[in-house]
Amino acid sequence: MNAVARMTQLDLRTVRPYRTQVVILLILTPLLAALWRQPTVAPVMVMVMSVFVAAYPFAIAEKNDLDTLYGVLPIRRRALVAGRYWFAMVLVVIAAVVGTLIGFAMGAAMGLPFGCVELGYLLVAAFVIVGVLVSVQFPLYFALGYTRARLVTFLPIFAVMAVVILAMDVLPKDSITLPSPAVLVAIAVVGTVALLVASVAISARLDARRVR
Amino acid sequence: MSKTALALRHVDATRGTFHLRDVTFDLPTGYVMGFVGPNGAGKTTTIRCLLGMLRPDAGEIELLGRRVPTDPDLLQDVGVVLDHTFFVDDWRLTDVERALRPFYGRWDSTRYRSLLDGFGLDPAHKVKELSRGQSMKLMIAVALSHDARLLVLDEPTSGLDPVARDELVGILGEFLTADDHSVLFSTHITTDLERIADYVTFIRDGQVMASSTKDDLLDAYRLVRGGPDDLLDPAAPLAGARRTSTGVEALVRTADLSRLEGNLLVEAPTLDQIVVKLGGAR
Amino acid sequence: MRVVLSNTSGVPLYEQIKEQVRTAILAGELAEGDALPSIRALARDLQISVITTTRAYADLAAEGFVANVPGKGAFVLGVDSALVREQLLRQVEDGLGVALHAARLAGLDRDGVVQVLDTLLDTEGDARATTTPSLEGTHQ
């Protein structure tokens, strides 16, 4: 196992004592989808919520002086930064799976449609949203530390939510000539990945400069 | 095996508004160095530089014979003990092992269990449930479980009762029965080190005031005591002079003894007295 | 091997160790070929620095009481080794020198000093019934 994977594993173990909280959070959230009678939205909601959980290691690290642990362990700081992003991705994937299962169960229980194609697009959209949130928030956490960054990180979340809501309302469905769905999906995924990669580099730079 | 456990040469470093200047000292392998000085003298900053957690502005640092910063694998051989734990509070002691083991090639689970047992620590307890003394023992157990050759302790005994402090001395003594094991022990409680330190480095205001074998340091100074009318000459080479109605007490370099006048009581100082008299405000 | 250190005697720790090991060897408590605790084990047991025990053992080796075998440790040498005799005779000379200085200050003449010497030897002879290496008989 390489250093980055070990750091991701460490992040998972860091969060493990709080797993009950996390599970409750991730399971209650999609119940809102039931209110909207849109079970396919469930995975999206869980995935967005997982971004909050992805910030847990920052908070726990600050409270328990894990920066010293990271300094004592035989790893490079860069591995920590990359590992944290992979930790977020692991959570997102778990959230997608859990959310999909919940949504599916919800759909079956409530007799609502659970379209796979619609689900597919929503998962991609969710990935983009999550990718943007992580890409914007993580550099702030690495640069300022959890407590100071927390005040600022809510802004991107609201901004993204606002954009999404506006987009859903404002954009008429057929007026813009969109490229074919496959291309759109490809652009979305690749773009998000590129954004994340850039974010990792920025985080690494900011983290290195921070005085601990 | 390198002959030097650690070496710093002309290290300058900045941490916030605090500066280390021209810090130079080294510790030969197999010995204990007491790193002493008043609070805020720069001990923790120096240790952070040593471990590669803080990048110095100038100078060279060597750890176990290799330049720092270097391959982080060097830290496989280094154990760190502080005055507070650096693990997730809600981890049980078994979780601590599970979390750290993947990083250390020489982690010995059996050793960890038996060390916890020997220290009277219950593996099912959470880190936050440990007392100050137990926390220290946990950090030592972790360090010994991955077969560290160099133990770096930063104020490990602050807040500990004398019994626990004595236990630490015993643990370090056992650790040092191997001649490739070394210890850097930074503290402002000098009495802990009085007996077992081989070398002493004394730091104050970010600068090293003295670094030598403990015996040489103790030989280099004398404690002089006199009556209220003695040692009044302002040019007398005294340090930390304390005057009361019944007399005066001060530290003087052994080499300067002949320059003093008066009917004085001269005796060898303790390490503590040297640190207090040299470390106090002038 | 019995080593008991005093923090308050004013005598350096390494000196105390040397003294006690020497005494033990001369009294026969440590026999030729006996292994002393390793430098590091002794430091651990007495809770003192390794440099201190190293110095004590090095001095003892220089004085001819022990031999330091690298990799194996320190071993007691035979008490009648010439080096030991020389050391001890030098101690006798030093001791007598101090005594004579004090005698001069007290105004004792040679007879007075010899009287004191005889008294001491008598009481010592009474107290010790065992055969210990004796310094009588061989003057250098």
Side-chain angles (χ1 to χ4, degrees), chain C residues 70-98:
Chain C
K72 288 235 176 115
F75 295 89
V76 177
L77 290 176
V79 150
D80 39 45
S81 76
L83 208 51
V84 173
R85 285 202 77 73
E86 210 179 287
Q87 286 282 321
L88 294 171
L89 286 171
R90 203 174 306 141
Q91 275 194 29
V92 173
E93 266 185 43
D94 290 341
L96 286 175
V98 171

PDB file of all heavy atoms in Angstrom, chain C residues 70-98:
ATOM      1  N   PRO C  70      36.142  -5.715  25.032  1.00  0.00           N
ATOM      2  CA  PRO C  70      35.125  -5.145  24.137  1.00  0.00           C
ATOM      3  C   PRO C  70      34.148  -6.217  23.693  1.00  0.00           C
ATOM      4  O   PRO C  70      34.553  -7.310  23.325  1.00  0.00           O
ATOM      5  CB  PRO C  70      35.944  -4.638  22.940  1.00  0.00           C
ATOM      6  CG  PRO C  70      37.362  -4.673  23.355  1.00  0.00           C
ATOM      7  CD  PRO C  70      37.493  -5.608  24.504  1.00  0.00           C
ATOM      8  N   GLY C  71      32.876  -5.879  23.778  1.00  0.00           N
ATOM      9  CA  GLY C  71      31.854  -6.815  23.332  1.00  0.00           C
ATOM     10  C   GLY C  71      31.450  -7.806  24.409  1.00  0.00           C
ATOM     11  O   GLY C  71      30.426  -8.467  24.297  1.00  0.00           O
ATOM     12  N   LYS C  72      32.257  -7.910  25.473  1.00  0.00           N
ATOM     13  CA  LYS C  72      31.895  -8.901  26.495  1.00  0.00           C
ATOM     14  C   LYS C  72      31.614  -8.247  27.847  1.00  0.00           C
ATOM     15  O   LYS C  72      30.792  -8.726  28.608  1.00  0.00           O
ATOM     16  CB  LYS C  72      33.030  -9.918  26.663  1.00  0.00           C
ATOM     17  CG  LYS C  72      33.172 -10.887  25.500  1.00  0.00           C
ATOM     18  CD  LYS C  72      33.125 -12.323  25.988  1.00  0.00           C
ATOM     19  CE  LYS C  72      33.156 -13.313  24.833  1.00  0.00           C
ATOM     20  NZ  LYS C  72      34.376 -14.128  24.854  1.00  0.00           N
ATOM     21  N   GLY C  73      32.339  -7.196  28.145  1.00  0.00           N
ATOM     22  CA  GLY C  73      32.091  -6.546  29.428  1.00  0.00           C
ATOM     23  C   GLY C  73      33.346  -6.418  30.254  1.00  0.00           C
ATOM     24  O   GLY C  73      34.458  -6.553  29.773  1.00  0.00           O
ATOM     25  N   ALA C  74      33.122  -6.158  31.550  1.00  0.00           N
ATOM     26  CA  ALA C  74      34.265  -5.976  32.438  1.00  0.00           C
ATOM     27  C   ALA C  74      34.414  -7.201  33.346  1.00  0.00           C
ATOM     28  O   ALA C  74      33.427  -7.716  33.867  1.00  0.00           O
ATOM     29  CB  ALA C  74      34.073  -4.725  33.270  1.00  0.00           C
ATOM     30  N   PHE C  75      35.650  -7.632  33.525  1.00  0.00           N
ATOM     31  CA  PHE C  75      35.911  -8.793  34.373  1.00  0.00           C
ATOM     32  C   PHE C  75      36.937  -8.454  35.434  1.00  0.00           C
ATOM     33  O   PHE C  75      37.881  -7.718  35.188  1.00  0.00           O
ATOM     34  CB  PHE C  75      36.433  -9.966  33.532  1.00  0.00           C
ATOM     35  CG  PHE C  75      35.402 -10.469  32.554  1.00  0.00           C
ATOM     36  CD1 PHE C  75      35.324  -9.911  31.283  1.00  0.00           C
ATOM     37  CD2 PHE C  75      34.504 -11.451  32.913  1.00  0.00           C
ATOM     38  CE1 PHE C  75      34.366 -10.354  30.379  1.00  0.00           C
ATOM     39  CE2 PHE C  75      33.547 -11.900  32.017  1.00  0.00           C
ATOM     40  CZ  PHE C  75      33.479 -11.349  30.751  1.00  0.00           C
ATOM     41  N   VAL C  76      36.775  -9.044  36.589  1.00  0.00           N
ATOM     42  CA  VAL C  76      37.676  -8.772  37.703  1.00  0.00           C
ATOM     43  C   VAL C  76      39.020  -9.429  37.448  1.00  0.00           C
ATOM     44  O   VAL C  76      39.098 -10.592  37.053  1.00  0.00           O
ATOM     45  CB  VAL C  76      37.066  -9.314  39.014  1.00  0.00           C
ATOM     46  CG1 VAL C  76      38.022  -9.094  40.170  1.00  0.00           C
ATOM     47  CG2 VAL C  76      35.718  -8.660  39.281  1.00  0.00           C
ATOM     48  N   LEU C  77      40.069  -8.663  37.677  1.00  0.00           N
ATOM     49  CA  LEU C  77      41.415  -9.222  37.547  1.00  0.00           C
ATOM     50  C   LEU C  77      41.907  -9.699  38.908  1.00  0.00           C
ATOM     51  O   LEU C  77      41.382  -9.317  39.938  1.00  0.00           O
ATOM     52  CB  LEU C  77      42.376  -8.156  37.010  1.00  0.00           C
ATOM     53  CG  LEU C  77      42.176  -7.758  35.557  1.00  0.00           C
ATOM     54  CD1 LEU C  77      43.133  -6.631  35.193  1.00  0.00           C
ATOM     55  CD2 LEU C  77      42.421  -8.950  34.632  1.00  0.00           C
ATOM     56  N   GLY C  78      42.885 -10.506  38.880  1.00  0.00           N
ATOM     57  CA  GLY C  78      43.449 -11.028  40.119  1.00  0.00           C
ATOM     58  C   GLY C  78      43.931  -9.898  41.003  1.00  0.00           C
ATOM     59  O   GLY C  78      44.521  -8.927  40.548  1.00  0.00           O
ATOM     60  N   VAL C  79      43.638 -10.033  42.283  1.00  0.00           N
ATOM     61  CA  VAL C  79      43.970  -8.963  43.224  1.00  0.00           C
ATOM     62  C   VAL C  79      45.460  -8.771  43.376  1.00  0.00           C
ATOM     63  O   VAL C  79      45.937  -7.688  43.686  1.00  0.00           O
ATOM     64  CB  VAL C  79      43.316  -9.263  44.589  1.00  0.00           C
ATOM     65  CG1 VAL C  79      44.122  -8.695  45.721  1.00  0.00           C
ATOM     66  CG2 VAL C  79      41.912  -8.724  44.608  1.00  0.00           C
ATOM     67  N   ASP C  80      46.227  -9.837  43.203  1.00  0.00           N
ATOM     68  CA  ASP C  80      47.652  -9.633  43.394  1.00  0.00           C
ATOM     69  C   ASP C  80      48.362  -9.183  42.126  1.00  0.00           C
ATOM     70  O   ASP C  80      49.546  -9.391  41.982  1.00  0.00           O
ATOM     71  CB  ASP C  80      48.293 -10.897  43.982  1.00  0.00           C
ATOM     72  CG  ASP C  80      47.681 -12.142  43.369  1.00  0.00           C
ATOM     73  OD1 ASP C  80      47.519 -12.160  42.132  1.00  0.00           O
ATOM     74  OD2 ASP C  80      47.338 -13.062  44.107  1.00  0.00           O
ATOM     75  N   SER C  81      47.639  -8.598  41.222  1.00  0.00           N
ATOM     76  CA  SER C  81      48.326  -8.075  40.038  1.00  0.00           C
ATOM     77  C   SER C  81      49.197  -6.904  40.471  1.00  0.00           C
ATOM     78  O   SER C  81      48.858  -6.155  41.387  1.00  0.00           O
ATOM     79  CB  SER C  81      47.326  -7.632  38.978  1.00  0.00           C
ATOM     80  OG  SER C  81      46.747  -6.403  39.345  1.00  0.00           O
ATOM     81  N   ALA C  82      50.295  -6.787  39.781  1.00  0.00           N
ATOM     82  CA  ALA C  82      51.302  -5.800  40.188  1.00  0.00           C
ATOM     83  C   ALA C  82      50.743  -4.390  40.177  1.00  0.00           C
ATOM     84  O   ALA C  82      51.045  -3.567  41.038  1.00  0.00           O
ATOM     85  CB  ALA C  82      52.503  -5.893  39.247  1.00  0.00           C
ATOM     86  N   LEU C  83      49.898  -4.121  39.214  1.00  0.00           N
ATOM     87  CA  LEU C  83      49.319  -2.786  39.095  1.00  0.00           C
ATOM     88  C   LEU C  83      48.502  -2.438  40.334  1.00  0.00           C
ATOM     89  O   LEU C  83      48.529  -1.311  40.829  1.00  0.00           O
ATOM     90  CB  LEU C  83      48.421  -2.746  37.854  1.00  0.00           C
ATOM     91  CG  LEU C  83      48.252  -1.391  37.167  1.00  0.00           C
ATOM     92  CD1 LEU C  83      49.609  -0.762  36.885  1.00  0.00           C
ATOM     93  CD2 LEU C  83      47.493  -1.580  35.860  1.00  0.00           C
ATOM     94  N   VAL C  84      47.762  -3.443  40.818  1.00  0.00           N
ATOM     95  CA  VAL C  84      46.916  -3.209  41.988  1.00  0.00           C
ATOM     96  C   VAL C  84      47.791  -2.899  43.202  1.00  0.00           C
ATOM     97  O   VAL C  84      47.530  -1.969  43.962  1.00  0.00           O
ATOM     98  CB  VAL C  84      46.026  -4.437  42.267  1.00  0.00           C
ATOM     99  CG1 VAL C  84      45.282  -4.265  43.577  1.00  0.00           C
ATOM    100  CG2 VAL C  84      45.055  -4.618  41.110  1.00  0.00           C
ATOM    101  N   ARG C  85      48.830  -3.685  43.345  1.00  0.00           N
ATOM    102  CA  ARG C  85      49.745  -3.461  44.473  1.00  0.00           C
ATOM    103  C   ARG C  85      50.263  -2.038  44.439  1.00  0.00           C
ATOM    104  O   ARG C  85      50.255  -1.341  45.442  1.00  0.00           O
ATOM    105  CB  ARG C  85      50.948  -4.393  44.370  1.00  0.00           C
ATOM    106  CG  ARG C  85      50.698  -5.826  44.723  1.00  0.00           C
ATOM    107  CD  ARG C  85      52.016  -6.491  45.096  1.00  0.00           C
ATOM    108  NE  ARG C  85      52.440  -6.137  46.429  1.00  0.00           N
ATOM    109  CZ  ARG C  85      51.880  -6.594  47.545  1.00  0.00           C
ATOM    110  NH1 ARG C  85      50.858  -7.413  47.486  1.00  0.00           N
ATOM    111  NH2 ARG C  85      52.336  -6.233  48.723  1.00  0.00           N
ATOM    112  N   GLU C  86      50.695  -1.651  43.268  1.00  0.00           N
ATOM    113  CA  GLU C  86      51.266  -0.322  43.113  1.00  0.00           C
ATOM    114  C   GLU C  86      50.255   0.744  43.526  1.00  0.00           C
ATOM    115  O   GLU C  86      50.568   1.690  44.246  1.00  0.00           O
ATOM    116  CB  GLU C  86      51.622  -0.138  41.641  1.00  0.00           C
ATOM    117  CG  GLU C  86      52.792   0.783  41.394  1.00  0.00           C
ATOM    118  CD  GLU C  86      53.056   0.865  39.910  1.00  0.00           C
ATOM    119  OE1 GLU C  86      53.567  -0.134  39.355  1.00  0.00           O
ATOM    120  OE2 GLU C  86      52.731   1.908  39.321  1.00  0.00           O
ATOM    121  N   GLN C  87      49.011   0.578  43.051  1.00  0.00           N
ATOM    122  CA  GLN C  87      47.919   1.501  43.394  1.00  0.00           C
ATOM    123  C   GLN C  87      47.740   1.597  44.894  1.00  0.00           C
ATOM    124  O   GLN C  87      47.638   2.670  45.471  1.00  0.00           O
ATOM    125  CB  GLN C  87      46.609   0.977  42.800  1.00  0.00           C
ATOM    126  CG  GLN C  87      46.488   1.146  41.308  1.00  0.00           C
ATOM    127  CD  GLN C  87      46.129   2.562  40.969  1.00  0.00           C
ATOM    128  OE1 GLN C  87      45.341   3.178  41.666  1.00  0.00           O
ATOM    129  NE2 GLN C  87      46.716   3.087  39.920  1.00  0.00           N
ATOM    130  N   LEU C  88      47.660   0.418  45.481  1.00  0.00           N
ATOM    131  CA  LEU C  88      47.364   0.379  46.912  1.00  0.00           C
ATOM    132  C   LEU C  88      48.506   0.969  47.711  1.00  0.00           C
ATOM    133  O   LEU C  88      48.302   1.704  48.668  1.00  0.00           O
ATOM    134  CB  LEU C  88      47.069  -1.060  47.346  1.00  0.00           C
ATOM    135  CG  LEU C  88      45.776  -1.631  46.733  1.00  0.00           C
ATOM    136  CD1 LEU C  88      45.655  -3.111  47.007  1.00  0.00           C
ATOM    137  CD2 LEU C  88      44.561  -0.885  47.259  1.00  0.00           C
ATOM    138  N   LEU C  89      49.747   0.666  47.297  1.00  0.00           N
ATOM    139  CA  LEU C  89      50.895   1.215  48.012  1.00  0.00           C
ATOM    140  C   LEU C  89      50.908   2.733  47.910  1.00  0.00           C
ATOM    141  O   LEU C  89      51.248   3.437  48.858  1.00  0.00           O
ATOM    142  CB  LEU C  89      52.195   0.632  47.457  1.00  0.00           C
ATOM    143  CG  LEU C  89      52.436  -0.824  47.879  1.00  0.00           C
ATOM    144  CD1 LEU C  89      53.613  -1.428  47.119  1.00  0.00           C
ATOM    145  CD2 LEU C  89      52.697  -0.900  49.382  1.00  0.00           C
ATOM    146  N   ARG C  90      50.487   3.205  46.743  1.00  0.00           N
ATOM    147  CA  ARG C  90      50.426   4.654  46.578  1.00  0.00           C
ATOM    148  C   ARG C  90      49.386   5.241  47.528  1.00  0.00           C
ATOM    149  O   ARG C  90      49.573   6.308  48.109  1.00  0.00           O
ATOM    150  CB  ARG C  90      50.085   5.022  45.143  1.00  0.00           C
ATOM    151  CG  ARG C  90      50.550   6.433  44.784  1.00  0.00           C
ATOM    152  CD  ARG C  90      50.354   6.764  43.316  1.00  0.00           C
ATOM    153  NE  ARG C  90      50.976   5.775  42.453  1.00  0.00           N
ATOM    154  CZ  ARG C  90      50.421   5.343  41.314  1.00  0.00           C
ATOM    155  NH1 ARG C  90      49.270   5.801  40.916  1.00  0.00           N
ATOM    156  NH2 ARG C  90      51.043   4.444  40.568  1.00  0.00           N
ATOM    157  N   GLN C  91      48.278   4.528  47.706  1.00  0.00           N
ATOM    158  CA  GLN C  91      47.245   4.982  48.643  1.00  0.00           C
ATOM    159  C   GLN C  91      47.788   5.028  50.059  1.00  0.00           C
ATOM    160  O   GLN C  91      47.493   5.941  50.826  1.00  0.00           O
ATOM    161  CB  GLN C  91      46.043   4.037  48.606  1.00  0.00           C
ATOM    162  CG  GLN C  91      45.056   4.367  47.505  1.00  0.00           C
ATOM    163  CD  GLN C  91      43.738   3.649  47.694  1.00  0.00           C
ATOM    164  OE1 GLN C  91      43.343   3.346  48.826  1.00  0.00           O
ATOM    165  NE2 GLN C  91      43.070   3.348  46.609  1.00  0.00           N
ATOM    166  N   VAL C  92      48.609   4.018  50.397  1.00  0.00           N
ATOM    167  CA  VAL C  92      49.202   4.000  51.737  1.00  0.00           C
ATOM    168  C   VAL C  92      50.071   5.233  51.926  1.00  0.00           C
ATOM    169  O   VAL C  92      49.979   5.934  52.929  1.00  0.00           O
ATOM    170  CB  VAL C  92      50.042   2.715  51.939  1.00  0.00           C
ATOM    171  CG1 VAL C  92      50.804   2.779  53.250  1.00  0.00           C
ATOM    172  CG2 VAL C  92      49.125   1.504  51.899  1.00  0.00           C
ATOM    173  N   GLU C  93      50.889   5.490  50.907  1.00  0.00           N
ATOM    174  CA  GLU C  93      51.771   6.656  50.984  1.00  0.00           C
ATOM    175  C   GLU C  93      50.969   7.937  51.156  1.00  0.00           C
ATOM    176  O   GLU C  93      51.269   8.772  52.002  1.00  0.00           O
ATOM    177  CB  GLU C  93      52.578   6.776  49.700  1.00  0.00           C
ATOM    178  CG  GLU C  93      53.934   6.106  49.778  1.00  0.00           C
ATOM    179  CD  GLU C  93      54.733   6.381  48.509  1.00  0.00           C
ATOM    180  OE1 GLU C  93      54.701   7.555  48.049  1.00  0.00           O
ATOM    181  OE2 GLU C  93      55.355   5.458  48.000  1.00  0.00           O
ATOM    182  N   ASP C  94      49.906   8.073  50.305  1.00  0.00           N
ATOM    183  CA  ASP C  94      49.096   9.283  50.371  1.00  0.00           C
ATOM    184  C   ASP C  94      48.469   9.422  51.749  1.00  0.00           C
ATOM    185  O   ASP C  94      48.475  10.500  52.355  1.00  0.00           O
ATOM    186  CB  ASP C  94      47.975   9.254  49.320  1.00  0.00           C
ATOM    187  CG  ASP C  94      48.532   9.393  47.912  1.00  0.00           C
ATOM    188  OD1 ASP C  94      49.679   9.864  47.776  1.00  0.00           O
ATOM    189  OD2 ASP C  94      47.819   9.006  46.957  1.00  0.00           O
ATOM    190  N   GLY C  95      47.899   8.323  52.227  1.00  0.00           N
ATOM    191  CA  GLY C  95      47.237   8.333  53.530  1.00  0.00           C
ATOM    192  C   GLY C  95      48.214   8.717  54.629  1.00  0.00           C
ATOM    193  O   GLY C  95      47.917   9.561  55.478  1.00  0.00           O
ATOM    194  N   LEU C  96      49.396   8.123  54.575  1.00  0.00           N
ATOM    195  CA  LEU C  96      50.392   8.423  55.596  1.00  0.00           C
ATOM    196  C   LEU C  96      50.846   9.871  55.487  1.00  0.00           C
ATOM    197  O   LEU C  96      51.083  10.532  56.498  1.00  0.00           O
ATOM    198  CB  LEU C  96      51.589   7.479  55.463  1.00  0.00           C
ATOM    199  CG  LEU C  96      51.334   6.042  55.953  1.00  0.00           C
ATOM    200  CD1 LEU C  96      52.542   5.158  55.667  1.00  0.00           C
ATOM    201  CD2 LEU C  96      51.018   6.047  57.446  1.00  0.00           C
ATOM    202  N   GLY C  97      50.933  10.363  54.262  1.00  0.00           N
ATOM    203  CA  GLY C  97      51.315  11.756  54.066  1.00  0.00           C
ATOM    204  C   GLY C  97      50.339  12.700  54.747  1.00  0.00           C
ATOM    205  O   GLY C  97      50.727  13.632  55.460  1.00  0.00           O
ATOM    206  N   VAL C  98      49.057  12.421  54.574  1.00  0.00           N
ATOM    207  CA  VAL C  98      48.020  13.252  55.214  1.00  0.00           C
ATOM    208  C   VAL C  98      48.137  13.148  56.728  1.00  0.00           C
ATOM    209  O   VAL C  98      48.080  14.147  57.452  1.00  0.00           O
ATOM    210  CB  VAL C  98      46.614  12.798  54.750  1.00  0.00           C
ATOM    211  CG1 VAL C  98      45.525  13.490  55.564  1.00  0.00           C
ATOM    212  CG2 VAL C  98      46.423  13.072  53.263  1.00  0.00           C
TER     213      VAL C  98
END
